Amino acid sequence: MEYWQELLRKSVESKEEIISQFGIKPEVAETLNDFFQTRVNPYYLSLIRHKGDPIWLQCVPDEIELADLDAPDDPLNEDAMSPVPSITHRYPDRVLFLVTSQCSMYCRFCTRKRKVGDSSKISMKYIQQGLDYIAAHPEVRDVILSGGDPLTLTDFMLEKILKGLREIPHVQIIRLGTKIPCVLPQRVTPQLCDMIKKYHPVYVNTHFNHPWECTPEAKQACEMLADAGCPVGNQMVLMKGVNDNAEVVMELMQKLLAMRVRPYYMYQADITKGANHFRTPVKVGLDIMDKLRGWTSGLAIPYYVIDAPGGGGKIPMLPNYVVSHDEKTWVLRNYKYDIYTYPDVVEETPTKAPARKRPIRAPRKKKVFSERTDPGAR
Ligand SMILES: *Cc1c(COP(=O)(O)O)cnc(C)c1O
Ligand code: SF4
């Protein structure tokens, strides 16, 4: 048995363990575990510094999860976009491919609580169906392996899936959505990296939420993936009590860059049964973005997105940098709230009149705002 499998086997999972390890009330322990199972491996457990800290909140079950049982359990309407059980096809050219229900930890804020951990809903038997669906849909050029966590599969199983995908000519890129580098970095072994390497381009999106998760072990795992040629990105979830302030987010983003991980998304927490206590006002997210842009490396800045309830997809949210504008001028503010005007290009409507000499451009004003505020410009 490999070391990571041993760690996984030693996880806190049972009703008795959550009562003794976390002081969960015996009368709710079973209901809690029935609602959404517990799994905290000794590595992630060792990151807890005190009860109720940002690490604790992410992994230790809490009675509060049972308080909103009439909230939606499929807020993003993913099930309606599943042509086969293992595929979520929401966008034109890419799909989520759910290849396992297992995770190396069960995050208390998980948006897929209804499926994750339940092997009747996501399982190996649906994998062939998923491959067949992708093969039959030439518009799918990007496949995101998700679940559950695809890196909980053995190298052998994962390779079968990667190989299957690479036999489909229209699949250009493969992404691995995995929390492993954060919660069980020991899983990233040289053998795994050597295997993944054969199926490039493979992108990895991992999931760090707090600077305390950026340990030497996690750094090593991310660097090994980067050395294997995988661009590694990070998807953070904004959560009350965990990372809902700009200092914590900036520290996390800077630490990730130092581990060769590029921040990608900062998600507004979804409206999910059993996880609503993590939600924050949108204003908090916008304020964090405002305190990142300009104040630290542009590379450290993720897109802040809200996954629209009902399945509209991710919608980017940006603080407002436009003070006012008309046809000729944009009045903008920078990260320090200084005001600049940008003279826009005014295009003449084409006429049939003979070409005239172009007017000389207006001289540049002293301060001309030139940095684009569009996050797509990064
Ligand atoms: C997030 C997501 C994707 C990937 O979106 P990108 O913006 O391309 O990273 C694809 N499909 C579904 C269903 C998603 O939720
Ligand atoms: S690793 Fe991902 S899928 Fe698994 S419980 Fe955590 S958030 Fe949910």
Side-chain angles (χ1 to χ4, degrees):
M1 190 181 280
E2 290 189 65
Y3 180 51
W4 66 272
Q5 287 168 320
E6 249 172 74
L7 281 173
L8 212 46
R9 216 176 37 141
K10 290 186 191 146
S11 295
V12 177
E13 294 193 358
S14 70
K15 176 183 149 192
E16 290 70 31
E17 286 168 323
I18 65 170
I19 294 170
S20 65
Q21 282 271 351
F22 302 134
I24 304 292
K25 286 189 206 150
E27 62 271 27
V28 293
E30 190 154 346
T31 324
L32 265 175
N33 259 359
D34 282 349
F35 169 60
F36 188 61
Q37 75 185 84
T38 303
R39 175 175 291 166
V40 193
N41 70 63
Y43 165 76
Y44 199 76
L45 195 62
S46 76
L47 305 183
I48 294 177
R49 298 186 187 176
H50 49 82
K51 185 178 174 177
D53 76 17
I55 306 293
W56 172 289
L57 292 178
Q58 293 185 70
C59 64
V60 176
D62 193 295
E63 219 176 316
I64 197 170
E65 294 173 30
L66 306 172
D68 59 351
L69 287 182
D70 37 337
D73 63 358
D74 181 17
L76 308 179
N77 213 10
E78 287 188 328
D79 293 344
M81 293 167 190
S82 292
V84 298
S86 55
I87 296 281
T88 307
H89 195 169
R90 177 194 287 157
Y91 292 109
D93 66 343
R94 55 209 187 279
V95 295
L96 280 188
F97 188 5
L98 311 180
V99 293
T100 174
S101 66
Q102 295 299 303
C103 297
S104 49
M105 170 171 121
Y106 291 103
C107 313
R108 306 326 297 176
F109 53 85
C110 182
T111 213
R112 271 191 219 124
K113 281 187 163 181
R114 72 194 183 284
K115 276 193 173 176
V116 153
D118 181 347
S119 49
S120 69
K121 298 212 173 125
I122 311 173
S123 98
M124 283 309 295
K125 61 177 184 278
Y126 297 125
I127 287 186
Q128 192 52 49
Q129 278 185 29
L131 288 170
D132 293 345
Y133 178 86
I134 294 165
H137 288 80
E139 71 274 21
V140 177
R141 40 159 292 287
D142 175 1
V143 176
I144 302 156
L145 298 186
S146 180
D149 193 323
L151 290 190
T152 55
L153 297 173
T154 59
D155 293 0
F156 179 79
M157 275 315 304
L158 184 62
E159 179 155 22
K160 273 179 74 165
I161 296 166
L162 293 174
K163 197 179 265 167
L165 286 171
R166 278 292 168 236
E167 277 162 13
I168 304 171
H170 55 264
V171 173
Q172 295 170 1
I173 67 168
I174 298 171
R175 299 195 238 177
L176 289 171
T178 175
K179 217 175 150 70
I180 284 279
C182 173
V183 294
L184 188 61
Q186 296 81 0
R187 165 68 183 104
V188 180
T189 58
Q191 301 85 284
L192 174 74
C193 294
D194 284 344
M195 184 277 283
I196 291 175
K197 242 189 233 175
K198 294 188 275 174
Y199 301 95
H200 276 320
V202 179
Y203 288 71
V204 173
N205 265 326
T206 185
H207 184 177
F208 287 80
N209 288 321
H210 193 276
W212 294 354
E213 296 167 338
C214 300
T215 62
E217 291 91 335
K219 183 167 191 278
Q220 190 184 337
C222 294
E223 287 175 344
M224 284 168 70
L225 289 164
D227 283 342
C230 302
V232 186
N234 188 67
Q235 315 201 138
M236 183 199 108
V237 179
L238 185 55
M239 283 178 280
K240 192 194 276 178
V242 175
N243 51 18
D244 56 341
N245 78 74
E247 291 71 39
V248 169
V249 176
M250 190 188 288
E251 186 188 347
L252 173 64
M253 299 305 160
Q254 290 170 344
K255 287 203 157 130
L256 288 170
L257 285 183
M259 300 176 6
R260 298 166 67 189
V261 177
R262 168 73 158 94
Y264 180 45
Y265 282 138
M266 177 172 90
Y267 285 101
Q268 176 76 358
D270 291 322
I271 306 168
T272 304
K273 186 195 287 188
N276 288 319
H277 53 290
F278 286 115
R279 294 178 61 213
T280 50
V282 172
K283 195 174 147 295
V284 171
L286 289 173
D287 182 57
I288 290 172
M289 295 306 290
D290 200 43
K291 288 177 172 157
L292 291 178
R293 170 65 65 192
W295 296 101
T296 189
S297 314
L299 279 173
I301 298 166
Y303 298 91
Y304 173 36
V305 292
I306 297 185
D307 225 328
K314 300 173 184 70
I315 299 175
M317 302 290 287
L318 202 62
N320 192 12
Y321 290 96
V322 179
V323 177
S324 67
H325 75 99
D326 59 25
E327 267 166 48
K328 289 183 188 153
T329 322
W330 289 75
V331 181
L332 308 169
R333 61 105 179 153
N334 75 353
Y335 67 107
K336 292 178 179 165
Y337 283 74
D338 297 331
I339 307 294
Y340 298 85
T341 51
Y342 176 81
D344 207 354
V345 177
V346 181
E347 294 196 318
E348 284 172 49
T349 37
T351 58
K352 287 198 178 118
R356 261 184 289 144
K357 232 181 170 183
R358 279 173 170 262
I360 299 160
R361 250 207 278 150
R364 279 163 70 98
K365 289 215 182 105
K366 232 183 181 177
K367 276 184 173 176
V368 176
F369 188 94
S370 59
E371 194 196 336
R372 291 179 58 176
T373 54
D374 168 10
R378 284 183 295 173

